[in-house]
Amino acid sequence: MATASVASHSDAAHDHHDHEHHDNFITKYIFSTDHKMIGKQFLVTGIFWAIIGGLLSLIFRLQLGFPDMSLEWLRPILGGWITPDGALDPEFYLALVTMHGTIMVFFVLTAGLSGTFSNFLIPLQIGARDMASGFMNMLSYWFFFVSGVIMFISLFIETGPAGGGWVVYPPLSALEQAIPGSGLGMTLWLIAMTFFIASSLLGGINYITTVINLRTKGMSFSRLPLTIWAFFLTAVIGLLSFPVLFSAALLLVFDRSFGTSFYLSDIYIGGEALPNTGGSPVLYQHLFWFLGHPEVYIVLLPALGITSEVIATNARKPIFGYKAMIISMLGITILSFVVWAHHMFVSGMNPFLGSIFMFLTLIIAIPSAVKVFNYLTTLWRGNLIFTPGMLFSIGLVSFFISGGLTGIFLGNSAIDIQLHDTYFVVAHFHLVMGSASFFGLMAGVYHWFPKMFGRMMDARLGYIHFWATFIGVYLVFFPMHYIGIAGFPRRYYSWTGFEFTNMYTDLNLFVSVAAILTFAAQLIFLFNFFYSMYKGRVATLNPWRSNTLEWTTPLHPQHGNWPGEIPSVYRWPYDYSKPGAAEDYIPQTVPLSATPESNLPHEQELVKLEKEIIADEEAVLVANESTNS
Amino acid sequence: MYGFLIAVGTLLLLSIIWMVYRIQTLVSVVKGSDKKIASGSNKINALMFVFFLIGATILMFWYSIKEFDNYQLPIASEHGVITDQLFWVTMAVTGVVFIITHILLFWFPYKYQWKEDRVATFYPDNNKLEVLWTIVPAIVLTFLVIGGWRAWSDITAPAPENSHVVEILGYQFAWEVRYPGMDNTLGEHDYRLTSATNVSGVDFTDKNSLDDFMSPVVVIPKGEPVLFKIRARDVLHSVFAPHMRLKMDAVPGMPTRFWFTPTKTTEEMRRETGNDEFVYEIACTEICGRGHNAMRKEIRVVEPDEFRKWMSEQKPYIVNNPSLVEGLPADLKELAEITISEHK
Ligand code: HEM
Ligand SMILES: [Cu+2]
Ligand SMILES: [Cu+2]
């Protein structure tokens, strides 16, 4: 299967080898079907959304840190959302929180991370000329783009964007009377998310097909880089869970617009009793979290995959426990579908279900722990080079530990009674999901920038960016544990209304200042990113001396990636510092037969098999030569 | 004005970044360090991890100890003692893991930083280790889960027969508290009966509702089981009584419940905390709209005798507002009138 498609691909490449590509601006930069360009489109769009999402969080952090400050100066942008006495409108506060969450989770860390790196790396690392369907891939980006445009518009409408939290639980999100954001804003949210789901599915189908069908010769599943394993499993999770979100949204649309009662029952609002009976708000929560929990892994797995690759490369050491890493990712993939109700321990669902989900949840902690121990062992006795990518990867592991451990509290239903919907949860998911994935994204950008743009990002600015962000993230999110344990509820506009929360104004102020500084540190990155794109030092072909296939392409790979044949693969991607080898890395394209001095006993046996493959290949080459001349 | 300042600030920041960038690229070109595999910065980064480890550890312990009494809310319910114990056991276990893994994570970068003359150890796997660190966390987690499961089962078990029932209804943006009266049985309700005078939608054709009364404060006795019957009439809300370690969503169309036994009266708690103004509070923890952060209700825990006295002094809905029973059938009306006269 794989061989056949590779052969046909290489023929095609040979066909248009000689004549020029006729890419104009539009087909090259806008409606591109080249996976590399689509990946970059996702990246730049993701960065745009990260800025918006970050700015929104700064506005509500101003409210929380400086409740008495006059926000009059925001009136030119926010208009009527600033009340006459210069404060933020409470309903707009909720809308900000909602948009911040939606944007960060879906637009930045799902599209910006999976979209960028699955697209960019899958064909390059498995040795394919492009995705299985370039056209679908292009559609995937443009559906995402449209989704973003709609969500963006919703920020500016008069009744404001959706305001029911990123989970948009009905009845709040179903009833316009309950909050103005549940009017047009919510409609736009639902439309935008529908486009987003379509985008994710188109992308996911493509990633899966490509990984299964288009691997180059010799690239068996047991030789795939862990990045590809991660992207592959992420796509599988997305494919299985996003449709459920779609059905949840669809039923919500029915309840909102067509008078059905899937989620609505016994409601008296605005001086009027609604006719709906028999629906269940808890049903929505089940459907939502059936996506919602896997979504956590959709944003996390690619980051972990990137980290595995970056840590191994820069530790100059094989990733420890390659198989164990794959098995734990498989375990996480499967288990991620059976833990969703841990978000619902006190939702009123049957407490017996709570017990079941507590057990399942704590099982999923085990593969996560295995991954951490494997990362640590990979660092052990390595020869570590702290590239910015490496720094961000180590930072990711730290966040993954900190946030993962608090998950053990929250997964325990008895403890969750107190912690649910407090700032403890906010601290937990910002570390384990938000910051960890964000650091994965950053590690990926620093590491593959030379392949994306043929130039290097400045390393020293990268170090400054890393340390400012790493320290900043802890200063922002670690204190939230304390106020969470103290019981501060989340999505609160102000805490002065209660005795038990009428404290920690100093800590909240501190967090807000830290958030502003951390955000400012991202400007260093933005400068570095865009400046280096044009003015950075020109990269060498394999700047990190890495083993994977993408570094065998030319500095600026054209559509099709390799000018000639696609290289074949003879070994796994982690032959770093192999005893006996001359260099501390052996690329996947180096045959075992060429490295007798470093082969392990079982590899020595594979050499014979390999010789046959090489012979085959030469035959193909000779045949091609003769048809060409 | 602010806008201008921010613009200037941003500009300044950008130009500083740019200058630093230019200077250091020039320097690194002169020194030729951009050609090396690992430049001098490698050592600095390695050191930074150690500094970070030490600094963060000191900060964390200092603040955690200093603030303990502030973030550790006093406990006022029987099950709260157990869940808090679970919390701190989990904290101890995860705390040890947290510290050990972080020491390794930040010390390895220092210890194994790049050296020209060293080669990393080729160490691709070790199944014994993998099995070890699969099984040990599994065992530890099992202990934690079993503790949690037993506590959870007890907390969510059916309320004891003799529990005092209190109905808490959430609506935008307040809580309505209804007591069942002397019969300890709440009357039926129907959301269609809701009105300005009948906030909870009580159905007065059920004779159990004739002695039901409302209260601006949740009054409950110390040391006796209390059952909160929780409802919502518009959107989701969630009853959160932090000192009771109690939280349960209020769901329209689906009544929920939570029972507990308070262990300290408000007075006792005032003495314990040295705060004369201390009150137990209920907050809302499910986003419900504009007033989500303002759904406050006070809980007053009193001695059982005082509770009984208080109960007997309360006036049913129909006493305060006889118009509620106007349309009732004759037999019920008679009952209602008896109740009313009893309370006069
Ligand atoms: C600049 C950095 C960030 C800051 C200062 C920040 C701050 C916050 C705060 C304080 C809240 C809670 C607001 C409330 O409950 O009233 C929140 C909510 C949230 N944040 Fe962030 N955040 C940041 C970055 C991120 C990132 C990278 C993600 C990606 C996962 C993220 C995802 C979320 C989500 C999902 C929510 C919940 C929204 C909801 O309650 O509906 N945030 N953020
Ligand atoms: Cu979850
Ligand atoms: Cu609320």
Side-chain angles (χ1 to χ4, degrees):
Chain A
M1 185 88 186
T3 346
S5 57
V6 168
S8 65
H9 258 269
S10 52
D11 288 351
H14 266 273
D15 281 349
H16 53 232
H17 211 199
D18 316 43
H19 45 256
E20 280 283 288
H21 265 287
H22 295 290
D23 274 343
N24 56 28
F25 182 81
I26 296 205
T27 56
K28 178 141 189 245
Y29 292 108
I30 300 179
F31 294 106
S32 170
T33 54
D34 181 353
H35 70 98
K36 297 186 291 300
M37 183 52 69
I38 296 175
K40 291 179 213 170
Q41 289 174 328
F42 270 108
L43 179 58
V44 172
T45 318
I47 290 176
F48 167 80
W49 279 112
I51 297 171
I52 302 278
L55 285 176
L56 297 183
S57 76
L58 291 193
I59 300 179
F60 61 70
R61 264 319 325 176
L62 281 182
Q63 163 64 28
L64 296 177
F66 308 86
D68 301 324
M69 178 181 181
S70 162
L71 297 181
E72 205 51 57
W73 53 280
L74 279 173
R75 192 182 294 285
I77 318 173
L78 297 184
W81 295 118
I82 301 292
T83 58
D85 40 346
L88 201 64
D89 181 84
E91 265 154 2
F92 192 65
Y93 175 89
L94 296 179
L96 285 173
V97 172
T98 307
M99 283 296 115
H100 163 76
T102 307
I103 288 169
M104 288 298 193
V105 171
F106 292 111
F107 290 4
V108 180
L109 294 178
T110 304
L113 184 59
S114 255
T116 303
F117 290 102
S118 300
N119 270 310
F120 190 78
L121 288 181
I122 288 177
L124 283 174
Q125 287 197 331
I126 65 168
R129 299 233 176 256
D130 203 328
M131 283 286 174
S133 164
F135 178 72
M136 262 168 74
N137 213 17
M138 179 187 86
L139 274 188
S140 159
Y141 175 75
W142 286 104
F143 272 68
F144 167 50
F145 187 85
V146 171
S147 162
V149 169
I150 296 170
M151 199 64 92
F152 193 71
I153 290 173
S154 86
L155 288 171
F156 297 98
I157 60 178
E158 193 176 349
T159 46
W166 79 284
V167 299
V168 294
Y169 282 174
L172 184 62
S173 61
L175 303 173
E176 212 171 330
Q177 307 92 304
I179 186 170
S182 292
L184 181 59
M186 188 60 208
T187 307
L188 292 177
W189 191 96
L190 287 164
I191 298 172
M193 284 313 294
T194 306
F195 276 100
F196 186 84
I197 292 168
S199 155
S200 284
L201 294 181
L202 287 168
I205 292 169
N206 235 333
Y207 308 150
I208 294 172
T209 333
T210 310
V211 172
I212 293 180
N213 289 324
L214 298 184
R215 281 166 290 125
T216 185
K217 210 180 310 166
M219 182 62 93
S220 60
F221 267 86
S222 59
R223 284 178 182 164
L224 283 180
L226 286 174
T227 32
I228 303 299
W229 268 104
F231 299 150
F232 177 70
L233 292 174
T234 304
V236 172
I237 298 178
L239 205 59
L240 294 176
S241 60
F242 268 115
V244 180
L245 177 65
F246 180 68
S247 54
L250 195 65
L251 299 187
L252 184 54
V253 169
F254 285 154
D255 273 6
R256 285 166 54 81
S257 306
F258 305 114
T260 54
S261 308
F262 291 106
Y263 307 134
L264 305 180
S265 185
D266 298 15
I267 291 171
Y268 177 91
I269 191 166
E272 176 194 15
L274 303 187
N276 312 64
T277 54
S280 162
V282 178
L283 168 65
Y284 173 87
Q285 298 176 25
H286 280 297
L287 293 174
F288 178 85
W289 286 110
F290 192 85
L291 160 94
H293 190 82
E295 173 63 27
V296 174
Y297 292 97
I298 292 176
V299 308
L300 196 59
L301 279 183
L304 292 174
I306 288 170
T307 299
S308 308
E309 183 63 31
V310 174
I311 286 192
T313 305
N314 291 298
R316 313 309 294 163
K317 207 169 162 268
I319 189 85
F320 182 77
Y322 174 77
K323 291 232 169 67
M325 287 301 227
I326 295 172
I327 293 170
S328 39
M329 282 200 281
L330 275 169
I332 288 175
T333 302
I334 294 164
L335 288 170
S336 72
F337 284 102
V338 291
V339 298
W340 77 87
H342 63 210
H343 298 270
M344 301 167 58
F345 286 136
V346 293
S347 66
M349 78 176 179
N350 188 323
F352 177 67
L353 271 183
S355 318
I356 305 285
F357 277 95
M358 165 163 51
F359 278 97
L360 291 168
T361 299
L362 292 169
I363 295 176
I364 207 172
I366 296 169
S368 311
V370 169
K371 289 192 79 83
V372 167
F373 295 136
N374 283 346
Y375 285 131
L376 289 175
T377 318
T378 307
L379 293 176
W380 179 68
R381 302 182 70 173
N383 205 10
L384 314 184
I385 305 170
F386 302 111
T387 62
M390 179 67 162
L391 293 174
F392 275 96
S393 299
I394 294 175
L396 180 153
V397 177
S398 170
F399 294 148
F400 189 51
I401 297 172
S402 311
L405 288 174
T406 47
I408 295 174
F409 295 79
L410 298 169
N412 188 326
S413 54
I415 303 178
D416 188 54
I417 295 172
Q418 179 75 359
L419 297 179
H420 178 69
D421 268 344
T422 64
Y423 261 70
F424 195 83
V425 177
V426 178
H428 159 72
F429 76 74
H430 274 96
L431 285 176
V432 78
M433 159 163 108
S435 307
S437 308
F438 178 70
F439 269 42
L441 178 74
M442 283 299 139
V445 172
Y446 279 106
H447 192 77
W448 279 287
F449 192 87
K451 193 75 262 160
M452 289 181 174
F453 301 103
R455 291 174 184 273
M456 306 295 286
M457 285 178 82
D458 184 72
R460 226 155 294 184
L461 287 184
Y463 305 145
I464 300 172
H465 174 217
F466 167 75
W467 285 108
T469 313
F470 185 59
I471 296 171
V473 163
Y474 268 126
L475 291 184
V476 172
F477 297 116
F478 205 84
M480 290 187 191
H481 292 110
Y482 299 106
I483 54 177
I485 296 171
F488 282 47
R490 66 194 273 214
R491 296 162 178 161
Y492 264 33
Y493 166 76
S494 143
W495 283 302
T496 48
F498 293 84
E499 288 287 320
F500 77 101
T501 59
N502 202 0
M503 57 172 173
Y504 280 134
T505 44
D506 50 347
L507 195 60
N508 270 309
L509 188 137
F510 177 83
V511 167
S512 293
V513 172
I516 293 168
L517 292 178
T518 312
F519 183 85
Q522 307 315 304
L523 298 179
I524 303 175
F525 168 77
L526 287 180
F527 168 78
N528 199 354
F529 183 81
F530 289 105
Y531 186 82
S532 305
M533 210 188 267
Y534 299 101
K535 294 278 175 69
R537 199 154 45 83
V538 174
T540 50
L541 278 185
N542 190 355
W544 319 119
R545 300 176 305 131
S546 179
N547 287 342
T548 38
L549 278 184
E550 72 272 28
W551 305 106
T552 64
T553 57
L555 192 57
H556 292 283
Q558 297 301 308
H559 200 170
N561 297 342
W562 285 268
E565 289 293 322
I566 299 182
S568 302
V569 163
Y570 301 97
R571 58 178 76 231
W572 77 328
Y574 297 111
D575 270 345
Y576 289 106
S577 301
K578 214 170 175 191
E583 291 262 20
D584 65 357
Y585 68 116
I586 313 176
Q588 287 188 281
T589 48
V590 176
L592 290 169
S593 50
T595 56
E597 68 282 3
S598 66
N599 287 351
L600 303 171
H602 75 275
E603 287 170 333
Q604 207 53 44
E605 281 163 36
L606 291 173
V607 168
K608 232 190 314 146
L609 220 96
E610 190 179 81
K611 286 212 170 108
E612 285 166 29
I613 299 177
I614 297 176
D616 272 6
E617 212 163 68
E618 264 156 20
V620 173
L621 265 178
V622 171
N624 279 343
E625 284 302 307
S626 50
T627 51
N628 266 8
S629 53
Chain B
M1 184 58 197
Y2 272 113
F4 177 71
L5 279 180
I6 287 169
V8 170
T10 321
L11 227 82
L12 235 106
L13 202 75
L14 281 176
S15 44
I16 290 174
I17 294 172
W18 188 77
M19 257 155 55
V20 170
Y21 172 81
R22 284 307 300 167
I23 292 170
Q24 59 96 359
T25 28
L26 290 178
V27 169
S28 76
V29 168
V30 170
K31 289 209 297 210
S33 62
D34 56 332
K35 303 262 165 11
K36 279 199 233 150
I37 284 173
S39 59
S41 324
N42 217 52
K43 211 169 280 161
I44 299 174
N45 279 314
L47 264 176
M48 280 292 288
F49 279 113
V50 178
F51 290 149
F52 180 83
L53 176 67
I54 296 170
T57 311
I58 293 174
L59 255 180
M60 182 181 83
F61 277 106
W62 168 72
Y63 198 80
S64 303
I65 293 168
K66 171 174 102 71
E67 287 291 309
F68 185 81
D69 289 334
N70 271 333
Y71 59 77
Q72 171 63 19
L73 293 183
I75 312 171
S77 70
E78 274 178 10
H79 75 268
V81 176
I82 296 165
T83 56
D84 263 45
Q85 197 181 354
L86 284 170
F87 177 90
W88 288 109
V89 169
T90 310
M91 183 67 88
V93 173
T94 55
V96 169
V97 179
F98 178 68
I99 290 171
I100 293 178
T101 48
H102 268 98
I103 289 178
L104 298 181
L105 182 68
F106 293 144
W107 177 57
F108 285 170
Y110 179 73
K111 177 105 202 283
Y112 301 112
Q113 57 181 292
W114 170 269
K115 298 243 168 57
E116 195 76 49
D117 52 356
R118 204 187 52 221
V119 180
T121 311
F122 186 82
Y123 187 43
D125 50 22
N126 178 339
N127 286 342
K128 277 203 201 102
L129 272 183
E130 302 285 357
V131 170
L132 179 76
W133 59 49
T134 307
I135 293 194
V136 171
I139 294 173
V140 174
L141 284 171
T142 308
F143 275 106
L144 294 180
V145 171
I146 288 178
W149 172 70
R150 283 167 56 184
W152 174 252
S153 306
D154 291 345
I155 294 167
T156 56
E161 284 291 320
N162 60 342
S163 306
H164 301 279
V165 175
V166 182
E167 183 188 71
I168 302 191
L169 169 93
Y171 64 97
Q172 287 181 324
F173 294 100
W175 304 103
E176 174 81 4
V177 180
R178 172 161 71 123
Y179 280 80
M182 284 311 176
D183 60 358
N184 204 24
T185 311
L186 287 164
E188 296 290 331
H189 59 84
D190 184 330
Y191 77 105
R192 278 162 297 206
L193 299 174
T194 311
S195 67
T197 47
N198 189 358
V199 178
S200 302
V202 184
D203 178 358
F204 288 100
T205 60
D206 176 4
K207 67 178 189 318
N208 288 327
S209 47
L210 296 181
D211 61 346
D212 291 4
F213 63 87
M214 68 83 75
S215 163
V217 203
V218 181
V219 182
I220 49 176
K222 168 186 154 187
E224 294 181 12
V226 176
L227 171 63
F228 280 176
K229 292 194 162 181
I230 300 168
R231 292 200 286 132
R233 74 169 202 207
D234 38 35
V235 299
L236 293 171
H237 302 272
S238 188
V239 177
F240 176 38
H243 301 92
M244 304 296 167
R245 306 297 193 262
L246 178 160
K247 187 178 288 137
M248 182 51 72
D249 281 6
V251 186
M254 191 184 89
T256 56
R257 50 180 56 219
F258 200 114
W259 76 269
F260 65 105
T261 310
T263 51
K264 286 174 195 159
T265 63
T266 302
E267 276 313 317
E268 282 168 345
M269 198 54 107
R270 283 185 179 164
R271 250 172 282 135
E272 189 185 309
T273 58
N275 173 4
D276 289 340
E277 262 134 57
F278 178 89
V279 284
Y280 294 115
E281 291 171 308
I282 288 178
C284 177
T285 48
E286 188 63 76
I287 182 172
C288 56
R290 187 179 192 90
H292 172 48
N293 62 325
M295 289 179 59
R296 181 173 184 273
K297 202 87 201 169
E298 192 184 321
I299 302 180
R300 192 154 71 230
V301 182
V302 296
E303 295 292 343
D305 293 341
E306 195 184 338
F307 176 71
R308 279 178 185 85
K309 181 157 161 285
W310 176 83
M311 279 286 272
S312 63
E313 284 164 359
Q314 299 307 304
K315 296 224 165 71
Y317 286 109
I318 56 171
V319 175
N320 287 333
N321 192 354
S323 67
L324 287 171
V325 288
E326 252 156 29
L328 291 189
D331 51 339
L332 272 173
K333 196 144 193 197
E334 211 166 301
L335 268 177
E337 251 129 45
I338 295 173
T339 313
I340 292 174
S341 58
E342 271 171 6
H343 282 272
K344 279 277 150 69

